[in-house]
């Protein structure tokens, strides 16, 4: 028998540059699963514990490499399981290709077992390209287009392959006649820059400002030299959206850190006092953390014109690649001689880091979670890849860690889903096996899926040149972010029935499956735990028992938020006294002399 359609599908993926597929088997993709064995020397198959995790890994693969992340799932339930991870990719604008099985073509429309209308199911998440193959001659152009569109549009695409079609003889060369498609693989990123006249207008706006603020996001990754050059010429401060945490070093004196609810006080000040805003490669969604409309003149640079001028009423939106556009813009901008605005920013940033250290070193019961992150700063290798889960782990990731441009760092930015922390780290180890990876997660996400994915870690870690994958679990027995949101946003006390979760021995579980780990219940064990984790010869879990009542304080507390928090505490919050104590300690540090 000659080459099957499933084998040709894999061959065409390989021709497009795919070297790894994350997935889970099922009988709706039996033909593809069988073909993977013959292609094992060319395409690596990574078996996740659940299809959603495979989609998270594909999304992370795209984030860590810039390549198309590919995930594979069976028909019906397997395809449905992919959706949350695919929406993570869609909302963070990552190129991901989902390949899903379908029941035999002759059975479709007959309410057959596991028959789901997959084109309807995927038409939103894969709106740029979602096609079902019904003829073997389609496979060539379906793969070429799905891969190319994913890269070009930075979006999710999907190919649906009925299982019986995968078993049929391949058609590598469609017949040369009317009604056939003859495609080829390949895509090269263009250099996109605005018109010269628009660049000059942007320079005029930026030159006119006396207090310039810059906000960078994921689109500015790789453009740190250009961002620093224009910031120096403008005397500007630079804030970072969470997806752009590694766009600039946090040790740069005028970098104010993260912005938003999980951001810093200097970023809040930067936006509230600026008269000009330059936004580069970010679609940061929360307008209340940007200047008030009319306060500042604005220029935005984004590769996707659809994202321009929707977060702030910009005076000028420029369609362009961040690095290339800044390279063209920098020579047109004049150097500002008045550095008083920059001096104010740098003074507040320096004071902020002192405050963060003071907050981290405050006692708690038993461990202050901020301290676990603060102590990590002195152990974090320059080439580490860091993923954070959604929850208070993202708060401390956003405020307490000092990152560099040599790091890679990400989380579920726009979907903000629970669960991607560990699968992101697994994808990091496959994409960059020589680099250490860290997953910073809460116990809610760990119980949701992180523990299962530790089994995936145990299955594969011996393949990695550097076996270090470290999982930090903030074990506070509480779905902590939601608990604090209930208090501060709704004015409701903690609901024990919905918020408290079991105390699990995560390090014990890690050791049970062949990994290493340690449980720490005292702050004097934090430093040693990080040392042990980074010295380990295998993946390592730090089970840190932390205080759930240490408040993830936003950069600015409104009167309304304060009133609602007090209402929650007066309404029978079971931990009211401890909440008041910890909140008082953390907030009082801001009032010390010099602050």
């Amino acid at each position: 028998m000659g080459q099957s359609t499933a084998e040709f599908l894999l061959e065409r993926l390989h021709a497009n540059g795919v070297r790894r597929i994350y997935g889970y088997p099922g009988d709706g993709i039996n033909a593809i699963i069988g073909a993977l064995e013959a292609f094992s020397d060319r395409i690596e198959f990574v078996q996740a514990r659940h299809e959603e995790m495979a989609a998270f890994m594909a999304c992370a693969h795209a984030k860590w490499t810039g390549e198309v992340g590919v995930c594979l799932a069976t028909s019906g339930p397997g395809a449905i399981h992919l959706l949350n991870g695919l929406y993570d990719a869609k909302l963070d604008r990552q190129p991901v290709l989902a390949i899903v099985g379908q029941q035999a073509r002759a059975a479709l429309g007959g309410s057959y077992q596991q028959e789901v209308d997959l084109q309807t199911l995927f038409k939103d998440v894969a709106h740029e390209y979602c096609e079902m193959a019904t003829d073997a001659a389609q496979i060539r152009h379906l793969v070429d287009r799905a891969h190319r569109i994913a890269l070009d549009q930075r979006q999710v695409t999907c190919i649906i392959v009925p299982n019986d079609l995968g078993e049929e003889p391949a058609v590598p060369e469609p017949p040369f006649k009317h009604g056939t498609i003859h495609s080829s693989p390949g895509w090269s990123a263009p250099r996109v820059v605005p018109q010269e006249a628009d660049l000059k207008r942007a320079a005029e706006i930026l030159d006119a400002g006396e207090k310039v603020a810059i906000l960078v996001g994921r689109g500015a990754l790789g453009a740190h030299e250009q961002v620093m050059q224009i910031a120096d010429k403008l005397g500007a401060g630079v804030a970072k959206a969470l997806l752009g945490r590694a766009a600039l070093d946090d040790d740069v004196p005028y970098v104010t850190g993260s912005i938003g609810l999980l951001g810093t006080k200097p970023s809040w000040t930067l936006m509230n006092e600026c008269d000009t805003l330059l936004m580069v490669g970010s679609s940061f969604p929360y307008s209340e953390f940007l200047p008030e409309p009319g306060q500042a003149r604005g220029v935005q640079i984004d590769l996707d014109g659809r994202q321009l001028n929707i977060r702030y009423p910009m005076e000028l939106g420029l369609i362009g690649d961040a690095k290339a556009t800044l390279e063209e813009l920098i020579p047109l901008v004049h150097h500002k001689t008045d550095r008083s605005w920059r001096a104010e920013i740098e003074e507040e940033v320096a004071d902020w880091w002192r405050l963060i250290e003071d907050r981290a070193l405050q006692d708690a019961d038993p461990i202050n979670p901020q301290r676990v992150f603060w102590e990590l700063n002195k152990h974090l290798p320059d080439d580490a890849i860091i993923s954070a889960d959604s929850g208070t782990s993202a708060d401390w990731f956003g405020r307490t860690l000092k990152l560099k441009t040599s790091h890679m760092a990400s989380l579920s930015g726009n979907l903000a889903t629970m669960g991607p922390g560990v699968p992101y780290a697994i994808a990091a180890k496959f994409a960059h096996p020589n680099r250490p990876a860290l997953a910073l997660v809460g116990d809610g996400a760990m119980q949701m899926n992180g523990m299962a994915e530790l089994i995936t870690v145990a299955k594969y870690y011996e393949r990695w040149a550097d076996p270090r994958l470290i999982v930090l679990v903030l074990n506070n027995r509480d779905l902590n972010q939601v608990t604090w949101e209930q208090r501060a946003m709704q004015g409701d006390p903690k609901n024990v029935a919905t918020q408290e979760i079991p105390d699990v021995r995560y390090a014990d579980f890690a050791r049970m499956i062949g990994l290493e780990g340690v449980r720490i219940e005292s702050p004097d064990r934090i430093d040693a735990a990080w040392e042990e984790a980074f010295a380990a010869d295998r993946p390592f879990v730090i089970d840190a028992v932390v205080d759930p009542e240490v408040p993830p304080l936003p950069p600015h507390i409104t009167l309304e938020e304060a009133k609602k928090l007090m209402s929650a505490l007066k309404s029978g919050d079971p931990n009211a006294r401890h909440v008041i104590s910890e909140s008082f300690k953390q907030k009082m540090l801001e009032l010390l002399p010099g602050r």
Side-chain angles (χ1 to χ4, degrees), residues 129-191:
Y129 194 76
C130 178
E131 297 292 337
M132 184 172 76
T134 57
D135 189 291
Q138 291 177 269
I139 294 297
R140 175 169 140 170
H141 69 263
L142 291 186
V143 172
D144 292 346
R145 292 204 72 207
H147 190 273
R148 184 161 41 245
I149 290 170
L151 281 172
D152 186 69
Q153 297 298 310
R154 294 176 294 129
Q155 277 292 352
V156 175
T157 58
C158 177
I159 301 173
I160 304 163
V161 184
N163 195 33
D164 62 321
L165 178 64
E167 298 169 350
E168 288 188 357
V171 182
E173 283 286 344
F176 186 61
K177 65 178 184 179
H178 182 73
T180 59
I181 302 294
H182 301 264
S183 65
S184 63
W187 179 84
S188 297
R191 185 177 187 269

Side-chain angles (χ1 to χ4, degrees), residues 264-287:
T264 71
K265 182 62 164 58
S267 293
W268 171 267
T269 302
L270 182 72
M271 294 296 152
N272 274 270
E273 297 184 8
C274 71
D275 62 15
T276 308
L277 173 63
L278 172 61
M279 189 181 294
V280 182
S282 175
S283 187
F284 174 75
Y286 301 117
S287 60

Side-chain angles (χ1 to χ4, degrees), residues 201-510:
R201 281 184 61 204
E204 291 169 1
I205 294 168
L206 296 172
D207 281 341
E210 296 180 358
K211 296 182 175 182
V212 181
I214 299 175
L215 172 60
V216 298
R218 179 181 53 81
L221 294 174
H224 60 277
E225 292 182 3
Q226 291 74 21
V227 172
M228 292 179 68
Q229 287 173 27
I230 198 164
D232 283 336
K233 293 189 79 170
L234 295 171
V238 184
K240 301 187 289 185
L242 283 178
L243 289 174
R245 281 285 278 118
L248 288 179
D249 286 6
D250 282 312
D251 282 334
V252 174
Y254 55 81
V255 172
T256 62
S258 300
I259 189 174
L261 192 64
L262 279 59
T264 71
K265 182 62 164 58
S267 293
W268 171 267
T269 302
L270 182 72
M271 294 296 152
N272 274 270
E273 297 184 8
C274 71
D275 62 15
T276 308
L277 173 63
L278 172 61
M279 189 181 294
V280 182
S282 175
S283 187
F284 174 75
Y286 301 117
S287 60
E288 67 269 30
F289 292 97
L290 296 175
E292 289 191 16
Q295 170 193 322
R297 302 177 73 184
V299 175
Q300 183 179 358
I301 301 169
D302 202 287
L303 194 56
D304 185 352
R306 293 172 296 184
Q307 300 300 315
L308 292 174
N309 308 348
I310 59 172
R311 306 306 185 198
Y312 186 79
M314 297 290 177
E315 191 167 331
L316 179 63
L318 301 176
I319 298 175
D321 171 76
K323 183 176 181 178
T325 301
L326 289 174
E327 286 174 341
E328 300 292 328
L329 182 59
I330 289 166
L332 304 177
V333 172
H334 294 99
H335 184 274
K336 295 186 186 298
T337 56
D338 183 354
R339 313 304 276 186
S340 57
W341 169 242
R342 167 68 70 82
E344 291 176 27
I345 294 165
E346 292 184 355
E347 182 179 355
E348 183 163 352
V349 168
D351 187 58
W352 170 260
W353 283 116
R354 289 190 291 269
L355 173 62
I356 286 297
E357 181 176 14
D358 289 346
R359 283 178 173 175
L361 297 180
Q362 290 294 302
D363 291 336
D365 182 20
I367 295 176
N368 182 342
Q370 296 169 100
R371 184 165 182 174
V372 185
F373 282 71
W374 183 256
E375 297 285 354
L376 171 58
N377 283 321
K378 63 186 176 185
H379 295 281
L380 193 62
D382 286 347
D383 63 345
I385 304 175
I386 304 107
S387 62
D389 219 297
S390 298
T392 51
S393 56
D395 283 273
W396 314 130
F397 163 82
R399 296 195 190 103
T400 311
L401 276 188
K402 288 191 171 185
L403 298 185
K404 300 179 180 180
T405 57
S406 60
H407 293 131
M408 293 184 183
S410 196
L411 74 176
S412 177
N414 290 289
L415 187 60
T417 178
M418 286 176 67
V422 176
Y424 269 33
I426 293 171
K429 292 303 299 183
F430 279 103
H432 302 283
N434 293 295
R435 300 177 66 164
L438 291 89
L440 311 172
V441 306
D443 48 2
M446 198 64 183
Q447 292 182 22
M448 181 178 284
N449 55 40
M451 293 179 73
E453 286 311 311
L454 285 182
I455 299 172
T456 304
V457 173
K459 176 181 173 70
Y460 289 112
Y461 81 87
E462 292 181 353
R463 297 187 185 184
W464 304 330
D466 181 338
R468 291 178 297 173
L469 187 159
I470 300 168
V471 179
L472 167 66
V473 185
L474 295 181
N475 185 347
N476 54 30
R477 293 78 59 206
D478 184 55
L479 298 173
N480 203 227
Q481 187 80 358
V482 175
T483 295
W484 281 102
E485 288 170 348
Q486 285 178 315
R487 289 165 173 160
M489 295 181 178
Q490 301 300 124
D492 292 334
K494 174 180 174 177
N495 184 338
V496 173
T498 65
Q499 298 311 110
E500 291 192 354
I501 61 177
D503 182 8
V504 174
R505 311 285 295 202
Y506 303 102
D508 290 353
F509 177 77

Side-chain angles (χ1 to χ4, degrees), residues 83-101:
L83 285 175
N84 193 50
L86 294 180
Y87 272 105
D88 186 36
K90 173 184 166 70
L91 270 62
D92 280 356
R93 303 297 307 279
Q94 295 302 314
V96 168
L97 168 56
I99 301 172
V100 297

